Amino acid sequence: WRQGRLEGAVTLSGSTVYLAPTTVKDARLQLSSSGEEETGRISLPEIKLPLDLVVESLLLEQPGWDISGSRQELDQLALAGSWRNLQLQLDRLQLRSAAIGQWTSELALEFAGQWPLTFNANARLPELSGWPDVLQRDVTLAASGNLAALKLDAGIEGDVALVARAELDVLDPELPFDFFARADWPESLELAELAAVPEALAGIRLAGPFELAARGSISEQLFQLSAHGSGQGYQDVDLHIAGRHQTGLLFIEDMRVQDGGGNNTLWGSGALAYGDQLQWSLGLESGGLQLPVGGDLPAGRIAGSLRLAGNADAEAWQLDLSDLELTGTVDDLPAHLTGYAGIDSELRLSASD
């Protein structure tokens, strides 16, 4: 621990330490790892302060910390509260920096057992790259329970309302968790208003709600998402995806796309391996699908199945089509497609049929 200039006063009365308004400049905390990897469950100590500490106001200007190489700096940290016996009570905790914005919060924590706590915060996030303009930056966050069963609730109000809740065990190195988020809005939004997408997808419109559920741990996560929208000539389309993720691997175990009348359906499953090279495999099947309307694409309707596979890195890519079995009509003519084909980044065709 080191610090710059300190201005303040401390008063001792009986068993109470009273900290008058105090300012500390350039405070730095550095903690180094022991070098031994923690593999077991974290055991929390009981921390009992023999004196009563009352802080009227403590202001840290330009504080920072380095915990095992993880560095963070703030423009300002201000707090007021008390610590009596096992009980820490922060009536005011304010943080501000360019990276996290401005947070105002309060905290009650007991340093016994699994460290039960309650925490409430209001935040104004900074302008972040990629943050949608339709989504406000005012956030509420609440935490309750204890560190073995910590419950989190977050929300953003506005035309696009977002709520999220999670429960996790921060004492387990695997960090088991359960998560749910829901975004809703009164009218449809263009996909381009929410994220940067290729021009061909910019006209897709999404209708609320959008829901995402996930559970798992650091090692593996299971997820489900659902959305509703229209575009590319399709109306009232529901999308449901279920899958799982491991380090370097994403599995889509069930993908279902269907419009409201059941006239257009698409099912799929696949896998993506990512790292220095991308490798993917995707199987698609449809009971009937109208070809997208517009551009130079032919009109028609098809049904059947196919499989796409490929790989790509910084230098080259390869795309393979196999198990092709499609029937239907194209430009009012009957069509039946079977076979396999492939192409690479140098536009060389693989063996095909």
Side-chain angles (χ1 to χ4, degrees), residues 17-31:
V17 178
Y18 181 83
L19 183 65
T22 299
T23 299
V24 181
K25 297 181 181 293
D26 299 319
R28 292 291 184 271
L29 174 65
Q30 183 171 356
L31 298 175

Side-chain angles (χ1 to χ4, degrees), residues 31-42:
L31 298 175
S32 300
S33 172
S34 64
E36 299 179 0
E37 184 178 353
E38 295 289 341
T39 58
R41 186 172 180 81
I42 298 173

Side-chain angles (χ1 to χ4, degrees), residues 193-211:
E193 295 182 80
L194 297 173
V197 295
E199 185 177 350
L201 302 179
I204 294 178
R205 302 191 68 87
L206 297 178
F210 171 87
E211 294 183 341

Side-chain angles (χ1 to χ4, degrees), residues 32-110:
S32 300
S33 172
S34 64
E36 299 179 0
E37 184 178 353
E38 295 289 341
T39 58
R41 186 172 180 81
I42 298 173
S43 179
L44 295 173
E46 181 179 281
I47 304 177
K48 186 175 183 180
L49 198 66
L51 299 173
D52 291 345
L53 175 63
V54 178
V55 178
E56 180 181 352
S57 175
L58 174 61
L59 175 63
L60 304 181
E61 295 184 347
Q62 304 298 325
W65 57 87
D66 181 344
I67 301 178
S68 299
S70 177
R71 296 179 176 86
Q72 179 69 56
E73 291 188 1
L74 300 175
D75 295 332
Q76 191 176 89
L77 184 153
L79 62 86
S82 61
W83 187 351
R84 294 182 174 89
N85 204 342
L86 300 169
Q87 306 288 334
L88 174 66
Q89 177 73 45
L90 297 181
D91 301 314
R92 176 173 58 89
L93 175 61
Q94 296 177 323
L95 304 95
R96 177 168 57 85
S97 78
I100 67 170
Q102 185 165 336
W103 291 70
T104 300
S105 60
E106 57 186 20
L107 168 71
L109 172 65
E110 182 181 0

Side-chain angles (χ1 to χ4, degrees), residues 28-311:
R28 292 291 184 271
L29 174 65
Q30 183 171 356
L31 298 175
S32 300
S33 172
S34 64
E36 299 179 0
E37 184 178 353
E38 295 289 341
T39 58
R41 186 172 180 81
I42 298 173
S43 179
L44 295 173
E46 181 179 281
I47 304 177
K48 186 175 183 180
L49 198 66
L51 299 173
D52 291 345
L53 175 63
V54 178
V55 178
E56 180 181 352
S57 175
L58 174 61
L59 175 63
L60 304 181
E61 295 184 347
Q62 304 298 325
W65 57 87
D66 181 344
I67 301 178
S68 299
S70 177
R71 296 179 176 86
Q72 179 69 56
E73 291 188 1
L74 300 175
D75 295 332
Q76 191 176 89
L77 184 153
L79 62 86
S82 61
W83 187 351
R84 294 182 174 89
N85 204 342
L86 300 169
Q87 306 288 334
L88 174 66
Q89 177 73 45
L90 297 181
D91 301 314
R92 176 173 58 89
L93 175 61
Q94 296 177 323
L95 304 95
R96 177 168 57 85
S97 78
I100 67 170
Q102 185 165 336
W103 291 70
T104 300
S105 60
E106 57 186 20
L107 168 71
L109 172 65
E110 182 181 0
F111 292 107
Q114 306 296 336
W115 289 16
L117 62 87
T118 58
F119 174 80
N120 293 284
N122 294 287
R124 176 69 172 176
L125 300 180
E127 294 186 3
L128 302 172
S129 176
W131 189 267
D133 292 336
V134 295
L135 191 61
Q136 293 190 9
R137 293 184 288 117
D138 294 314
V139 178
T140 61
L141 176 64
S144 61
N146 58 61
L147 297 188
L150 185 62
K151 296 179 180 180
L152 301 173
D153 291 277
I156 296 178
E157 297 182 348
D159 292 338
V160 178
L162 175 66
V163 294
R165 63 176 183 268
E167 184 168 345
L168 64 158
D169 181 355
V170 300
L171 303 182
D172 189 327
E174 275 292 296
L175 201 65
F177 72 92
D178 201 320
F179 173 83
F180 175 81
R182 176 187 174 102
D184 206 353
W185 49 93
E187 299 180 0
S188 63
L189 291 172
E190 287 192 357
L191 182 59
E193 295 182 80
L194 297 173
V197 295
E199 185 177 350
L201 302 179
I204 294 178
R205 302 191 68 87
L206 297 178
F210 171 87
E211 294 183 341
L212 171 64
R215 60 185 175 86
S217 64
I218 292 176
S219 300
E220 183 179 50
Q221 306 86 43
L222 308 178
F223 64 88
Q224 292 183 336
L225 67 84
S226 63
H228 183 80
S230 61
Q232 310 295 86
Y234 303 108
Q235 301 296 323
D236 297 326
V237 176
D238 289 315
L239 168 66
H240 299 277
I241 296 178
R244 58 189 174 93
H245 174 265
Q246 300 170 352
T247 303
L249 292 171
L250 175 65
F251 299 93
I252 302 299
E253 298 177 337
D254 184 25
M255 180 186 74
R256 298 178 181 269
V257 184
Q258 180 173 307
D259 65 9
N263 297 317
N264 293 283
T265 60
L266 182 66
W267 310 285
S269 62
L272 170 68
Y274 60 90
D276 294 335
Q277 184 184 63
L278 293 177
Q279 293 181 305
W280 64 86
S281 176
L282 176 65
L284 296 173
E285 182 179 355
S286 175
L289 185 67
Q290 203 77 20
L291 295 177
V293 178
D296 299 326
L297 296 174
R301 182 177 178 83
I302 59 172
S305 60
L306 59 86
R307 177 164 293 277
L308 292 170
N311 60 78

